Structure formats: C-alpha cells, structure tokens
C-alpha cells in the first residue's frame, strides 16, 4: 500500500457536492492504468479497464466526498452558523477545525452549556474564522467546509479524517494499478455525494447499467470498550458485507467473494451492519438492477476526525478486489 497516496487523499478537501479538488488529486494515480477516463455530469470520475470480452460489466465504486458543514448565516460579529453535510454528530465538534475550499480555517465551538456533559445540537454551534464582523469575513453563506486534521501512521495503526471513504479510493486505485488483465469490462467510479444519500453512484449506475456492482467503503467495528454489538473487528481482514440498513448483498456475489478470499489465503470477516449503507445500495437498484456487494474496510470512530484503520486490512482489501476482478464471476 502506498502510504503517500493515503496521506494525499485523506488530507484532501472535498465535502459532498464539492469534489473537484479530489478529482484532480486522484487522476494522476489512475491515468497510466486505465483505458479511458471520463467525468460525468454530476462529477463522478470514471476509469474504464477493458476486459478480454469474456466477462461481465462490473462497476466498482468508492466515494471521493466527505462529510462536512455548510454556512447558513453569518452573525454581525463574524461568526458562522452552519448546517451539516452528511452525518455530522454534535459530540465530535467542539474544538475541532474545519477548512473551506480556499484554505480558510475555522474553529468549531458551542454556546454555553448548563453542565459539562450536555451536548448541544448543531444549531447551537458556530464556526470562528477570526473575522471581526460580516465585512471582513472571508466566507459566504453556502460555502462548504470539510473537517481538517493531519494524517498519522503509527506503524499499522492509520488515523485520519475522511478514511471514509478515501481509504476505499486507495483500495480501488491500487487494485486498478495491480490488475494486469481481466475478463471483465471494469468501471472504477470515484463517486460524488455518497454522504448525502449515495447520489453520484445512482447516476453512474443508471448510465453504465453494470451486471455487477462492488462498493469499497468503510464499516464500523464492535471491538472497542462497550461498543455497539457487531462482529467486525480491526486486523481481521476485509469485511464482506451480507447486509446493511439499505441493502441485502447478492448472495451469489457474497459466495464468490468468500471463495476467492479462501482460495488466495486472504483473511476476511462477514459484516452485518444495522445502520447506514453504501453506494452498493444505489447500484443494486439502478436501471434493471445489478448483483451488488461490498468489500468493507473495518474502521473505528467513523465520522470523526480520527477515523482509524489497520494497514494490513487495507492491503488485504486490495488483494481481495484484485482476486475478484481478475477471475471469472459466476453468480
Ligand atoms: Co460516511
Ligand atoms: Zn463511506
């Protein structure tokens, strides 16, 4: 796994709907490996790898966008009120930093609280960009910011904002780079607007009408103190999704992924996620429907500025995707 690629992707700016910069970061890493690269109207970056004609049409999706905030109002004294872009939890906010497209940095904090354990909703938080009033405020209503935190690799313990889903983008990019030949016509879609309802993947899948759809995304784990019960844990390999709140994975595709992992000696676990979904949901029910599944990267602290993955799990996710794409897919 290319750690420099991870750093560039996770530190990049790209809240849902504002992914232009992420497209520019990803493009140089895929250019030499794809037979064709295009950008559709919504902004999905699509890299096609041509097959030998004997296989299926496969769409691989990893989303480029990240959760963030959007300015709704600027107070007379220059503080910003905001709303969420995607799943932003109030407990993750106070003292954290956000960054706008032009690099402007802001500190998030909340109004006074009655007790130390009280947490306000988003409407009682604000962003301080150092302005003294509306006139010298460098941002406008409608501007979007992503959270801002640098990447750290402590041996195999990788911590960053936006592992969701830039680490999925890393898996897709490295799988494309390592995929020497494939029977399938493979479309690697770096999708937009996943965090606001898997919108980019829906448009892409309607356009491409793939036979098979595989999303690469993060999933939560149940291996931390008093966590919600879940079988997935860090360092036990990629999780092959069986179901989440938005989809039941195609059983034939789940069987095939498990078989490919076993044949190649890749550790894996099975995932049942009770909340949330991925681009695979959109792909599954777009057009005439597709056989859809997900390779999930086990991730702690999802939707915080310290999303945490294990580099071995990432490496094994790349290997599993290459195994699936380089061989016939019998469903
Ligand atoms: Co997410
Ligand atoms: Zn995601």
């Amino acid at each position: 796994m290319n750690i420099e690629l991870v750093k560039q992707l996770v530190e990049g700016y790209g809240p849902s709907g504002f992914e232009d910069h992420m497209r520019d970061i990803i493009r140089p890493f895929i250019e030499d490996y794809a037979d064709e690269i295009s950008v559709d109207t919504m902004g999905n970056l699509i890299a096609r790898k041509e097959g030998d004609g004997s296989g299926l049409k496969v769409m691989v999706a990893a989303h480029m966008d990240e959760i963030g905030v959007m300015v709704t109002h600027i107070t007379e004294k220059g503080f910003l009120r905001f709303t969420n872009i995607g799943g932003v939890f109030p407990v993750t906010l106070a003292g954290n930093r956000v960054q706008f497209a032009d690099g402007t940095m802001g500190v998030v904090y909340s109004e006074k609280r009655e007790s130390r354990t009280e947490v306000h909703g988003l409407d009682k938080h604000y962003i301080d960009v150092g302005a003294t009033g509306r006139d010298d405020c460098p941002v406008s209503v409608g501007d979007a910011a992503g959270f801002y935190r640098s990447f750290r690799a402590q041996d195999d313990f990788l911590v960053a904002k936006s592992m969701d889903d830039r680490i999925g983008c890393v898996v897709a990019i490295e799988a494309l780079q390592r995929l020497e030949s494939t029977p399938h016509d493979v479309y690697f879609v770096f999708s937009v607007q996943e965090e606001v309802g898997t919108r980019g993947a829906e448009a892409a899948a309607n356009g491409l009408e793939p036979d098979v759809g595989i999303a690469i995304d993060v999933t939560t784990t149940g291996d931390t103190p008093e966590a919600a019960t879940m079988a997935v844990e860090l360092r036990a390999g990629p999780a092959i999704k069986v179901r989440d709140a938005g989809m039941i994975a195609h059983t034939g595709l789940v069987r095939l992924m498990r078989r490919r992992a076993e044949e190649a000696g890749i550790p894996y676990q099975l995932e049942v996620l009770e909340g949330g979904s991925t681009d695979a949901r959109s792909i599954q029910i777009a057009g005439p429907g597709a056989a859809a599944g997900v390779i999930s990267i086990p991730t702690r602290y999802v939707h915080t500025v310290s999303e945490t993955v294990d580099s071995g799990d990432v490496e094994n996710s790349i290997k599993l995707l290459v195994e699936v794409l380089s061989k016939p897919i019998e469903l």
Side-chain angles (χ1 to χ4, degrees), residues 138-149:
V139 298
S140 312
V141 168
D143 283 357
F147 291 93
Y148 179 68
R149 187 68 79 92

Side-chain angles (χ1 to χ4, degrees), residues 12-25:
Y13 168 90
S16 310
F18 302 86
E19 299 91 352
D20 320 41
H21 181 60
M22 290 312 301
R23 269 200 304 278
D24 295 340
I25 294 178

Side-chain angles (χ1 to χ4, degrees), residues 12-288:
Y13 168 90
S16 310
F18 302 86
E19 299 91 352
D20 320 41
H21 181 60
M22 290 312 301
R23 269 200 304 278
D24 295 340
I25 294 178
I26 292 173
R27 196 186 270 268
F29 290 99
I30 58 176
E31 245 159 16
D32 296 343
Y33 303 91
D35 294 298
E36 190 187 330
I37 291 181
S38 60
V39 177
D40 69 12
T41 308
M42 279 191 77
N44 296 300
L45 175 64
I46 304 174
R48 174 169 178 243
K49 170 91 179 171
E50 212 175 285
D52 65 15
S54 68
L56 302 174
K57 187 191 268 195
V58 181
M59 172 173 164
V60 174
H63 66 91
M64 298 185 286
D65 64 312
E66 62 185 347
I67 58 166
V69 297
M70 182 177 278
V71 178
T72 53
H73 176 256
I74 300 167
T75 71
E76 233 166 275
K77 291 200 164 162
F79 294 95
L80 319 175
R81 295 291 192 173
F82 62 92
T83 189
N84 60 305
I85 298 175
V88 175
F89 309 126
V91 288
T92 65
L93 289 179
N96 269 318
R97 301 172 190 184
V98 294
Q99 183 170 262
F100 290 86
D102 68 354
T104 298
M105 185 270 293
V107 180
V108 189
Y109 208 71
S110 82
E111 297 174 12
K112 70 173 183 301
R113 297 167 298 159
E114 294 308 322
S115 73
R116 287 188 180 184
T117 51
E118 185 184 15
V119 180
H120 286 310
L122 295 189
D123 59 329
K124 292 197 169 189
H125 284 76
Y126 59 85
I127 299 167
D128 185 352
V129 290
T132 58
R134 278 195 195 119
D135 293 345
D136 70 339
C137 185
V139 298
S140 312
V141 168
D143 283 357
F147 291 93
Y148 179 68
R149 187 68 79 92
S150 53
F151 168 66
R152 279 293 298 266
Q154 190 156 270
D155 301 319
D156 289 340
F157 190 69
L158 311 184
V159 184
K161 75 158 182 81
S162 306
M163 283 291 183
D164 177 10
D165 185 29
R166 308 287 169 66
I167 201 67
C169 295
V170 169
V171 170
I173 291 166
E174 292 213 25
L176 168 61
Q177 291 176 344
R178 296 182 200 181
L179 192 62
E180 280 163 16
S181 66
T182 171
H184 314 293
D185 223 2
V186 188
Y187 292 81
F188 291 84
V189 177
F190 299 92
S191 61
V192 297
Q193 299 191 35
E194 192 273 352
E195 295 291 356
V196 290
T198 63
R199 296 174 190 170
E202 185 170 338
N206 275 310
L208 294 171
E209 293 199 0
D211 305 302
V212 173
I214 300 171
I216 314 294
D217 209 334
V218 303
T219 193
T220 53
T221 67
D223 61 350
T224 51
E226 306 295 327
T229 304
M230 188 172 177
V232 175
E233 53 189 275
L234 223 63
R235 306 185 188 96
I240 296 172
K241 191 185 294 284
V242 177
R243 77 167 279 186
D244 61 26
M247 79 174 300
I248 295 163
H250 187 279
T251 52
L253 186 57
V254 170
R255 257 196 313 274
L256 178 108
M257 286 180 180
R258 296 180 66 174
R259 195 165 74 239
R260 292 285 179 253
E262 281 155 21
E263 286 164 356
I266 300 167
Y268 72 91
Q269 38 194 337
L270 295 171
E271 175 199 353
V272 176
L273 178 70
E274 293 180 79
S277 197
T278 72
D279 279 343
R281 171 192 161 79
S282 280
I283 304 170
Q284 184 174 50
I285 57 178

